[in-house]
Amino acid sequence: MTAPLREHALRRAQSEIFDLAIVGGGITGAGVAREASLRGLTAFLCEARDFASGTSSRSTRLIHGGLRYLRLGDVRLVRESLQERELLRHVMAPHLVQGLPFYFPIYRGDPDPLWLVRTGVALYGRLSGAAREDLELRLAPHDLLEAMPLLRRDGLRGGARYLDARTDDARLTLSVLRDASARGAVLLNYAPVRAFAREGDLHCLTCRDEESGETFAVRARRLLLAAGPWTDEVLGLLEDGQVPLVRCSAGTHLALRSGRLPLDAAWVMRGPDGRMMFAVPYGTESYIGTTDVLTEEPDGSTVPAVEAEYILAAADRTFPEAHLAEHDVIGAWRGVRPLARPGRSRSASRVSREDRLVEVREGMHVVVGGKLTAFRAMAERILDRIYPGSQSAGAAAASRSPLPGAQGEAITEDSWRQAARRAGVRAADLRARLGPYGDEAATVLQMGVGPGNLRFSLDRAILRFAVAEEFALHLVDVYRRRTDRLLFGGDFALQHLKADADEMGRLLGWSEVRREAEVQAVRRLEAEMLSWRAPHSDEILR
Ligand SMILES: Cc1cc2nc3c(=O)[nH]c(=O)nc-3n(C[C@H](O)[C@H](O)[C@H](O)COP(=O)(O)OP(=O)(O)OC[C@H]3O[C@@H](n4cnc5c(N)ncnc54)[C@H](O)[C@@H]3O)c2cc1C
C-alpha cells in the first residue's frame, strides 16, 4: 500500500465509529469485511502481520468439499463447500480457482475398501452436481497406471476419479480484501490489536501501526475476532480472561522441483499409517502434503524434519519410481488449522472443520474453525448473527458477484497473443505468469513489461502492482504471498532480490539500511523454510 493510502486508512480508522471492527486479516476476516460492506455496514479490519500471512497462505490450496469429511458424516459441510466451489470456479474467481481432476487409487490393505471409495466418490459427485465426464468410478489398475506411469503397481486394486478445484490461497484472500476495500472497508495490515476496552456501548481497540511504531484507537459498535490459531492469544488481552476456544493442528507441505513429479492431475497418497494426503500439480512444479499434528504454537511455521520425512515417505510409497528425496524439495510451508475446541478429547483428524461463532462479551464475537473454501457462506452466517436483518436481496446477489480480476471481460486467446507479441514474449509464458491476475493482467502489463528478460521484467511489473494495488509493504509480502516465488521459484527465486528491494524502496521511500533489512528478511524465510533438510552436497560446496 502506498504511503498516502495508508495515511488515509489510518485517519479514517481513528475518526470514524464503525459498525464492525474485525481482528485478523486471513480469509475469515476478509470474507466478513467484504460481506459487511456489501450490506452497507462500515467495517474496519486490522491484521497483526501481512494479510493472509497466517493459515490463509499455508493451506493445501484446495477449493473442495473434502471427500474425507463425507466419511466423518459432515454432509452439510460438504454440500455447502461444493456449492461455494462451483460459485468460485464459475463466477467469483475463475482466474484463481480452477477445476482439477483427482485420482484415488486403492491398494490391498488400505483402510478404505474399493467399494466404499467408489460409493463415496459417487455421493460426492451427486452432491456437487458433477458432469458425467468429471466422474469415473470404475478405474482398473491399468487405467491408473496409464494416467500416471510412476504409480506403485504392487497391490493396486483399482480406483476412481473425481473433480475438485485448486487455488492460490493468499491471492484469493487478497482479492476478497481488495473487494472489501473497494466497497468502503478500512483495512490495515501490520497493525496488531494490543488492548480492548469499553466506552459506553462501544468497543475500543488499541492498535499499533508497525510501520511508524505509533498506537492508535479504533471505536466500533460490534467486534469480531477472526484471529485463527491466535484466537486464544488475542482473547488473553481481555482483562477478565476467557476459556480457550481453539484447538490447533498443524500441517506441512513440500514443493517439488519442476519435473521431479510430473502430474496432470492430483493424486491421493497414503502415509505409512494409512492417512490420506495429496500430490497436486502446480504449473510445471508440484507439491505434496499434508500432515495433521496437534500443536500449542499458533504460528507453527517451522517445518519439523519428522513431518517432511513422513510426507516424502508417503510420496515414495505412492510413486516409488519417482525416487523423490530431500533435495527435490525447493520450498515448504506449514499452517495451523484453527479448529473449534471439542468438548472431549479427539485425535486431530476427527475434530470438525465446521465453523463456530461464540459471543464472549456483549457485542463481541469470536469465530473459530471453518475452511478457506466456504469463506463466503461463513461470512453470511456470521453477519446474520452479528447484525440480524442486515441482509437484503441486493446484498445477497452482490455477495455472489465476481471478485477483482473477474469483474471485467475475460481475456481472450487473441488478446494474450497480441499482448505477448507487444511485450516480445511467448503467449504461453505470459499467460502462465499473469493468468492469476484475470482481467487485471493488462494493468500489470502497463506497469512496465518490455522486451528482454521476461522473468525480470514481469517480476518487476508484478512488484509494482503489488505495492500499488495489493497492500504490499515488505519485500517478503511480494515474494511469499503476492507471488509464490519463494515456494516454487527454485534456483531463480532470489536472483533479483537486491534489484527488487531497490525498486520497492524507490516506491516506498526506503533507506539503504531498510532495503538491506528487507533482503535479509526474505533470505531468513528461505533458510527457515528448508531448515529441516540436511545440507545437500552442492549446497555445502557453494
Ligand atoms: C495444513 C492446512 C491445510 C488446509 N487446507 C485447506 C484446503 O485445502 N482447503 C480449505 O478450504 N481449507 C484448508 N485449510 C483450512 C483453511 O486454510 C483455514 O480454515 C483458513 O485459512 C483460516 O483462516 P482464518 O482467517 O480463520 O485464519 P488465519 O488465516 O490464520 O488468519 C488469522 C489472522 O489473524 C491475525 N492476528 C493474530 N493476532 C492478531 C492481533 N493481535 N491483531 C490483529 N491480527 C491478528 C494473524 O496474523 C492471521 O493473519 C487448511 C488449513 C491447514 C492448516
Side-chain angles (χ1 to χ4, degrees):
M1 188 191 275
T2 54
L5 279 179
R6 190 169 174 92
E7 277 305 312
H8 180 66
L10 278 164
R11 260 199 312 279
R12 278 191 63 195
Q14 294 168 80
S15 58
E16 292 181 20
I17 295 177
F18 294 92
D19 292 320
L20 181 63
I22 301 156
V23 177
I27 191 72
T28 306
V32 173
R34 174 176 181 266
E35 185 66 30
S37 308
L38 290 167
R39 293 184 183 200
L41 301 165
T42 54
F44 166 79
L45 180 149
C46 65
E47 161 56 51
R49 292 153 274 260
D50 186 23
F51 295 131
S53 59
T55 313
S56 301
S57 58
R58 308 194 226 148
S59 76
T60 310
R61 302 177 164 209
L62 302 181
I63 297 297
H64 65 160
L67 192 53
R68 128 184 128 83
Y69 303 132
L70 267 189
R71 204 170 184 275
L72 302 176
D74 285 334
V75 177
R76 189 200 69 78
L77 173 76
V78 175
R79 184 184 288 116
E80 177 184 88
S81 297
L82 288 171
Q83 284 165 354
E84 293 300 305
R85 181 192 81 185
E86 292 307 285
L87 186 62
L88 285 163
R89 262 181 80 200
H90 296 297
V91 181
M92 291 178 70
H95 57 305
L96 287 171
V97 178
Q98 282 102 28
L100 183 67
F102 279 64
Y103 284 93
F104 198 146
I106 294 292
Y107 288 87
R108 201 177 314 117
D110 273 356
D112 305 306
L114 194 51
W115 67 265
L116 184 66
V117 170
R118 286 176 171 160
T119 309
V121 168
L123 176 59
Y124 196 69
R126 199 164 321 134
L127 285 173
S128 66
R132 263 187 113 74
E133 64 272 19
D134 291 336
L135 275 188
E136 188 57 76
L137 300 182
R138 306 207 151 269
L139 290 174
H142 67 86
D143 298 321
L144 294 159
L145 288 163
E146 201 178 311
M148 180 47 171
L150 300 177
L151 189 68
R152 173 162 63 100
R153 291 157 188 267
D154 181 30
L156 183 59
R157 301 215 36 234
R161 175 173 56 75
Y162 60 99
L163 187 89
D164 250 327
R166 179 196 48 197
T167 191
D168 177 331
D169 46 10
R171 289 202 63 78
L172 181 64
T173 306
L174 285 161
S175 183
V176 176
L177 284 163
R178 289 181 62 212
D179 203 35
S181 168
R183 295 171 189 275
V186 176
L187 314 173
L188 282 166
N189 50 355
Y190 295 99
V193 67
R194 287 293 174 85
F196 297 109
R198 290 303 294 253
E199 205 177 87
D201 285 348
L202 297 178
H203 292 271
C204 292
L205 283 70
T206 305
C207 299
R208 183 182 139 97
D209 174 12
E210 296 284 14
E211 295 303 288
S212 65
E214 284 169 18
T215 56
F216 60 95
V218 179
R219 289 172 303 160
R221 293 181 185 87
R222 309 275 159 85
L223 177 58
L224 175 73
L225 301 192
W230 288 268
T231 297
D232 290 336
E233 192 181 287
V234 176
L235 282 171
L237 298 172
L238 292 172
E239 275 172 8
D240 45 354
Q242 170 67 40
V243 293
L245 294 178
V246 291
R247 188 171 202 213
C248 293
S249 151
T252 291
H253 301 84
L254 306 178
L256 301 173
R257 197 177 294 285
S258 177
R260 289 300 291 117
L261 188 63
L263 299 172
D264 295 328
W267 286 78
V268 173
M269 322 188 295
R270 288 201 187 263
D273 55 355
R275 254 195 79 251
M276 265 172 67
M277 277 181 257
F278 294 106
V280 184
Y282 205 70
T284 59
E285 286 82 16
S286 51
Y287 60 90
I288 49 179
T290 183
T291 48
D292 202 343
V293 178
L294 290 176
T295 175
E296 296 295 318
E297 288 174 50
D299 180 60
S301 56
T302 310
V303 173
V306 62
E307 286 186 38
E309 282 159 14
Y310 171 83
I311 296 169
L312 281 170
D316 198 45
R317 267 182 103 240
T318 314
F319 308 109
E321 301 293 313
H323 302 292
L324 292 172
E326 274 184 8
H327 57 262
D328 295 316
V329 177
I330 53 170
W333 65 97
R334 187 172 190 257
V336 175
R337 299 172 188 87
L339 306 176
R341 190 174 270 267
R344 60 200 158 81
S345 165
R346 299 205 237 158
S347 78
S349 296
R350 291 279 318 164
V351 175
S352 169
R353 260 59 170 171
E354 290 236 40
D355 47 282
R356 186 188 296 167
L357 188 71
V358 185
E359 187 166 12
V360 289
R361 301 285 183 280
E362 200 192 336
M364 177 176 184
H365 287 80
V366 182
V367 53
V368 283
K371 284 173 69 187
L372 184 78
T373 304
F375 77 88
R376 194 206 59 83
M378 179 163 80
E380 277 190 333
R381 276 199 300 278
I382 291 172
L383 260 300
D384 287 348
R385 282 271 302 279
I386 298 183
Y387 273 105
S390 59
Q391 180 70 302
S392 67
S399 174
R400 290 169 167 74
S401 65
L403 294 172
Q407 291 168 347
E409 288 286 305
I411 301 183
T412 61
E413 272 307 319
D414 223 29
S415 310
W416 279 118
R417 268 197 298 274
Q418 282 174 22
R421 206 174 311 122
R422 275 197 300 274
V425 299
R426 283 178 1 139
D429 290 341
L430 194 66
R431 192 199 189 116
R433 296 296 311 281
L434 292 186
Y437 292 83
D439 58 48
E440 294 185 307
T443 315
V444 179
L445 277 170
Q446 280 159 14
M447 298 218 166
V449 176
N453 182 338
L454 168 71
R455 186 182 287 270
F456 181 69
S457 108
L458 264 184
D459 283 354
R460 178 54 49 92
I462 284 169
L463 182 144
R464 290 177 185 151
F465 186 80
V467 172
E469 303 290 340
E470 298 181 326
F471 318 104
L473 283 178
H474 293 273
L475 195 55
V476 75
D477 302 346
V478 177
Y479 270 66
R480 175 61 180 84
R481 287 168 291 274
R482 306 313 179 273
T483 70
D484 42 29
R485 213 173 290 172
L486 201 61
L487 302 180
F488 291 97
D491 300 337
F492 299 105
L494 305 189
Q495 210 179 17
H496 300 298
L497 193 55
K498 177 70 178 82
D500 283 342
D502 285 341
E503 175 63 9
M504 201 157 170
R506 185 183 70 77
L507 296 169
L508 294 173
W510 292 345
S511 66
E512 194 48 51
V513 174
R514 168 87 186 256
R515 290 174 197 201
E516 185 50 31
E518 295 284 332
V519 165
Q520 290 314 324
V522 176
R523 287 200 186 284
R524 250 194 327 275
L525 185 57
E526 192 214 18
E528 268 169 35
M529 188 173 77
L530 298 174
S531 59
W532 54 272
R533 215 173 61 165
H536 188 227
S537 53
D538 299 355
E539 289 155 355
I540 298 171
L541 293 175
R542 229 184 274 152

